[in-house]
Amino acid sequence: MKFKLLLVLILFNFSGYAQQKIQIGETRSFHSEILDENRKLEIYLPESYKKGEKTYPVLYLQDSYYNFTHAVGTVEYLVLNQLIPEMIIVGILNTRRIRDLTPVSHGLSEYHINRLPNRGGADNYLNFMEEELKPFVEENYRAAPYNILVGHSLGGLLNTYCFFKKPNLFNAYLTISPSLWYTNNLLDKELDEVLKDHQDIDSKFYMTIANEGGIMLGNNYRLAGKLESYISENKELDLKFKFEPMFEQTHGSLGLPSIFNGLQFIFEDLKFELPENKEAIFAENGSQKMIEEIEDHYAKLSREYGFRISDEGAMNNLGYAFINKEGFEDVAVKVFNLNAENHPDSFNAYSNLGMAYEKAGNIEEARKYYEKALKMVKATGDPEWEFYQNDLDDLNAQEKEESLNTD
């Protein structure tokens, strides 16, 4: 009897655990007057969204049914490694996919005419995104004025069509194996003719292709060649382009690595490289000059992107440069102190400040910040809290040993 009761309790506990769900987003719907239908969205908000008032760039993800889960995971992984900023993801669920993602075409083969009877609604869909979807997101979420459009296959076709017709509707286009076998008068024109009314273009266009063949492969290379030539001949345009064939991937598997690489391309200028010659940093007033350079760099980027770009990683690298140079321990404390003041929610900033104080021989201050970092990291549930515990334990053991030696 006792065994049966114990078994029931165990099963009950495991059953309760199994029913816990991991939620990565929410579903919203609203009515579109332009499309004359209700549209559903899958919305992902970064973890920090509920803690503050800052704004976030928005990634508009087409074909959300297929792409939402892996896109969220990719973004979270890249953010964790400080390669891209946090962002809101708006996944657009399809109703009539072929209708929305294809422009009008007068040159399709009979096969494709029969296969795609409900085609040619791309202009209406672009109007929906510009006049209804983006305003809806901006009204309901803290959206920064920086937007990325992601499209795969027919979604990539829509990406390309949008870039040709309204290049400044989005700040960046992440275009995955676009279905450029699909014929359209606008897509067939030369770029200088298409973009003659868009001399203020300020976009980034990233494109991939999988192990495709035939006219689709040829037209992707043709578009890539057009863009590369146009950029080289029109250097006054602030247009950045990268074409990355991934022939080891299939048309279906290409989505995840494209988003992973594409987002890093879009935000590659967020990195700040310290000068290779460190002597300038260690010269008189070198630390102050570097601090000012880093602050100016990220302030400029924040103005250009329209949301705050963190300088925490760059300040950490600067602090490490000083902490590893004998005689510059106090400078390291200064840099890490500034970093902690500017990023009070970062347990890593406090941990580094504790390390700097320890290196400078100020054990009490080191302990204070190690303890603060440990408390903060435990509150997040981060499994690497043990490293922060070890820092504190090592400090206490070192102080105890020194005390015994002096006695």
Side-chain angles (χ1 to χ4, degrees), residues 143-156:
Y146 192 88
N147 304 295
I148 303 165
L149 183 64
V150 178
H152 185 175
S153 194
L154 285 181

Side-chain angles (χ1 to χ4, degrees), residues 151-161 163-164 173-183 187-188 191 205-229 241-247 251 254 258:
H152 185 175
S153 194
L154 285 181
L157 171 69
L158 189 281
N159 260 38
T160 309
Y161 184 69
F163 175 75
F164 272 54
Y173 295 82
L174 206 164
T175 306
I176 307 165
S177 261
S179 297
L180 297 185
W181 53 263
Y182 190 96
T183 57
L187 298 176
D188 288 337
L191 268 176
F205 195 93
Y206 173 84
M207 185 171 74
T208 58
I209 187 74
N211 59 351
E212 323 282 0
I215 191 171
M216 181 162 167
L217 178 65
N219 281 351
N220 271 268
Y221 269 92
R222 180 166 161 253
L223 174 60
K226 275 186 177 185
L227 282 167
E228 287 166 353
S229 296
F241 171 68
K242 183 176 182 179
F243 178 45
E244 188 170 11
M246 298 184 188
F247 296 130
H251 185 72
L254 187 63
S258 296

